[in-house]
Amino acid sequence: MPIIVNLDVMMAKRKMSMSELSSKVDITLANLSVLKNNRAKAIRFSTLEKICHVLDCQPADILEYREDK
């Protein structure tokens, strides 16, 4: 998959747990886990906006494009 989700990296930098982010963003732990583990097929802009707000980052800090080889 060419889009890589680096959510775990930003969470580590902010010293935030999955459960803390889940409650602050109002997303289930299961859905957050799907996103964090690169299994998500899509993300709503509103969810991405909340994650960026809570983690004080930009979308590019979380999402990365890598070409398939």
Side-chain angles (χ1 to χ4, degrees):
M1 177 181 272
I3 301 294
I4 307 301
V5 180
N6 294 314
L7 186 58
D8 53 344
V9 174
M10 285 308 300
M11 288 172 54
K13 286 182 180 179
R14 302 298 189 250
K15 297 181 177 146
M16 189 171 293
S17 69
M18 287 273 293
S19 58
E20 185 179 0
L21 183 61
S22 169
S23 67
K24 288 184 176 186
V25 174
D26 194 29
I27 187 174
T28 65
L29 274 172
N31 285 337
L32 190 58
S33 179
V34 166
L35 181 61
K36 185 175 93 66
N37 293 314
N38 278 314
R39 293 190 317 254
K41 299 290 182 195
I43 183 171
R44 290 184 177 171
F45 282 143
S46 59
T47 303
L48 182 60
E49 180 182 357
K50 289 178 190 176
I51 291 171
C52 288
H53 176 75
V54 170
L55 293 176
D56 188 28
C57 66
Q58 294 295 313
D61 296 327
I62 297 171
L63 302 175
E64 176 184 352
Y65 174 76
R66 290 188 196 161
E67 274 191 57
D68 280 339
K69 294 184 179 187

